[in-house]
Amino acid sequence: MVLKYRVVMSVTVLRFNFRQRSLCRLLAIQQHLMSSQAGSDILLERSGCAGVITLNRPKALNALNLSMIRQIYPQLKKWEKDPETSIVLIKGTGGKAFCAGGDIRAVTDAGKVGDRLSQDFFREEYILNNAIGTYQKPYVALIDGITMGGGVGLSVHGRFRVATEKTVFAMPETGIGLFPDVGGGYFLPRLQGKLGLFLALTGFRIKGRDVQQAGVASHFVDSEKLPSLEKDLVQLKTPSNTDVADVLNLYQAQSKVDDGKPFILAEHMDQINRLFEASSVEDIMQKLNEDGSSFAVKQLETLKKMSPTSLKITFRQLQDGASMSLQEVLVMEYRLSQACMRGHDFYEGVRAVLIDRDQSPKWKPGVLEEVTGDFVDGCFKSLGSNDLKL
């Protein structure tokens, strides 16, 4: 009887703990959806001729959540049709970040319990990315501070991307079992040589003027001059893209921080172009191993830490994306996002990097050779009626 009682009690406790964890996840998702009910996470205002979007989650490094997306998108569309609005500016508060990425924790919690947020977040984020990429009026992103993942999606597809000495750019998704989404399959393979593939696979960070020299930013302006720049932009009268470019070019010419500094990867570009020109990720790893230089060894060590599944998906993503339109890329990336939601590595990567922070993810599969071509093909397959529609 004692043994039977203990077994029953153990099962009861396990069920209670499971329900409690599930409840906590659901509450976290609800909190995510309700966090901006008062509009405090996002500020939308008219200033002069401009519509100004301010990302206002400084404690979270302005991480993008679904509520923010659902406020930005309709306002962008409204301003696009408004004859009184001639230009759109987007910026972040807090001084540390423009936008450090998407609210991955909430998406992870949703995916674990099958909540629609794991679909809705990616779908609506990519729809917003496309709206920015096809915007009919000048769109200026002031990417002052950390700009990664979702923050890149809010900026890189716009006509003007203004970096400062505080800007830190990266697409670090292969380190959390994801892939460089938000249109990464479109803009990354269009950077010089194999730079985009290098950045996508390694998650390498570039800063300040290097962000412009890489081709991610269109302009560089000293951070302290941004308030003055913003004032001049909003005071323009029905500006064209040329008018906006003239103002940005003037401020860039006056910016002295790190002026004349060579691109951080300039001395390695020949190596990057040679070593990352390959038919597979395995081929890249072999080339890096054979090269043996300190730079190659460092990149090899980095790649060995990344999710093998993410590396293979990302390689194919950029390979295919090089000849696709932005819209085709976003449809492809939505399929990939849902493949990651069905898999293991995304949840494990978020656990290791963002939750437990032990930096020791246990990838499945653990080696490149076990990520089959058939599996990768499956990640790119149509979702039928659930495909992203733009």
Side-chain angles (χ1 to χ4, degrees):
M1 281 295 293
V2 173
L3 178 60
K4 182 178 180 181
Y5 173 77
R6 287 177 177 170
V7 170
V8 171
M9 282 299 294
S10 296
V11 171
T12 302
V13 169
L14 284 170
R15 285 175 176 168
F16 174 78
N17 288 340
F18 176 77
R19 289 195 195 102
Q20 192 175 43
R21 285 196 298 270
S22 297
L23 179 61
C24 288
R25 286 170 183 158
L26 286 169
L27 288 173
I29 293 163
Q30 289 173 353
Q31 184 181 21
H32 164 86
L33 290 170
M34 296 169 65
S35 63
S36 296
Q37 281 188 340
S40 60
D41 285 354
I42 198 86
L43 305 176
L44 304 166
E45 58 187 330
R46 275 289 308 280
S47 178
C49 72
V52 181
I53 302 166
T54 305
L55 308 176
N56 192 36
R57 297 183 69 202
K59 290 182 180 179
L61 299 178
N62 297 321
L64 184 68
N65 61 33
L66 185 56
S67 174
M68 294 163 74
I69 293 168
R70 287 178 171 173
Q71 292 176 75
I72 295 171
Y73 178 77
Q75 189 63 64
L76 271 183
K77 288 300 188 182
K78 183 178 179 181
W79 281 335
E80 194 169 29
K81 296 177 182 178
D82 177 17
E84 300 298 314
T85 305
S86 302
I87 181 175
V88 170
L89 277 66
I90 184 168
K91 60 183 180 176
T93 57
K96 292 183 179 180
F98 166 67
C99 174
D103 195 346
I104 293 299
R105 288 285 294 269
V107 175
T108 305
D109 289 339
K112 287 178 179 177
V113 296
D115 187 88
R116 281 195 57 85
L117 176 64
S118 60
Q119 301 168 38
D120 294 344
F121 179 84
F122 290 106
R123 177 181 284 113
E124 296 182 41
E125 183 183 27
Y126 297 173
I127 289 172
L128 174 58
N129 299 152
N130 183 57
I132 293 168
T134 57
Y135 210 62
Q136 297 302 301
K137 295 179 178 180
Y139 181 95
V140 183
L142 305 177
I143 53 174
D144 186 36
I146 300 168
T147 304
M148 299 182 185
V152 176
L154 290 176
S155 56
V156 75
H157 304 298
R159 174 81 62 155
F160 303 105
R161 295 91 57 201
V162 183
T164 74
E165 72 275 11
K166 296 180 181 179
T167 304
V168 180
F169 164 90
M171 296 297 280
E173 289 83 0
T174 57
I176 58 167
L178 201 58
F179 61 96
D181 65 337
V182 297
Y186 181 78
F187 82 86
L188 286 166
R190 286 165 174 79
L191 300 181
Q192 57 181 294
K194 289 296 176 179
L195 177 61
L197 182 59
F198 168 77
L199 295 174
L201 295 178
T202 65
F204 188 88
R205 296 185 176 193
I206 50 177
K207 304 175 182 179
R209 284 189 185 268
D210 291 329
V211 181
Q212 184 195 17
Q213 294 188 69
V216 175
S218 62
H219 293 80
F220 178 90
V221 173
D222 293 347
S223 182
E224 66 178 21
K225 295 182 179 179
L226 288 184
S228 177
L229 169 63
E230 184 178 342
K231 183 179 178 181
D232 285 349
L233 287 173
V234 304
Q235 289 179 348
L236 291 172
K237 304 298 182 183
T238 60
S240 65
N241 282 319
T242 301
D243 296 329
V244 174
D246 287 344
V247 173
L248 293 175
N249 289 337
L250 178 63
Y251 271 83
Q252 178 170 272
Q254 297 171 350
S255 296
K256 302 303 179 184
V257 177
D258 291 334
D259 190 23
K261 181 182 177 181
F263 180 42
I264 190 172
L265 291 171
E267 64 179 303
H268 301 298
M269 279 308 302
D270 286 344
Q271 271 183 294
I272 289 171
N273 291 336
R274 174 170 51 83
L275 298 173
F276 284 77
E277 177 64 59
S279 59
S280 66
V281 181
E282 290 93 334
D283 192 14
I284 291 173
M285 303 283 265
Q286 183 177 343
K287 284 186 170 186
L288 290 169
N289 187 52
E290 291 174 352
D291 182 273
S293 65
S294 58
F295 177 78
V297 169
K298 187 173 182 179
Q299 306 321 311
L300 182 61
E301 290 174 352
T302 297
L303 291 179
K304 286 180 178 179
K305 297 176 183 177
M306 304 305 187
S307 158
T309 299
S310 290
L311 290 175
K312 286 206 171 181
I313 287 175
T314 299
F315 183 87
R316 166 88 174 268
Q317 172 203 5
L318 267 64
Q319 193 174 47
D320 292 356
S323 58
M324 289 180 168
S325 67
L326 174 60
Q327 292 71 39
E328 290 170 331
V329 165
L330 290 170
V331 170
M332 170 182 68
E333 291 182 356
Y334 182 71
R335 295 170 181 172
L336 295 177
S337 76
Q338 297 310 293
C340 290
M341 292 303 100
R342 296 190 302 267
H344 164 272
D345 280 7
F346 173 63
Y347 303 103
E348 173 61 9
V350 171
R351 179 206 64 75
V353 176
L354 300 177
I355 300 175
D356 297 341
R357 301 188 179 186
D358 57 33
Q359 310 300 322
S360 298
K362 304 297 186 291
W363 307 123
K364 293 181 183 179
V367 293
L368 285 168
E369 291 73 21
E370 292 180 11
V371 184
T372 67
D374 286 344
F375 174 82
V376 174
D377 288 344
C379 295
F380 286 80
K381 282 186 177 178
S382 170
L383 299 173
S385 61
N386 291 323
D387 260 341
L388 177 66
K389 297 171 181 64
L390 297 171

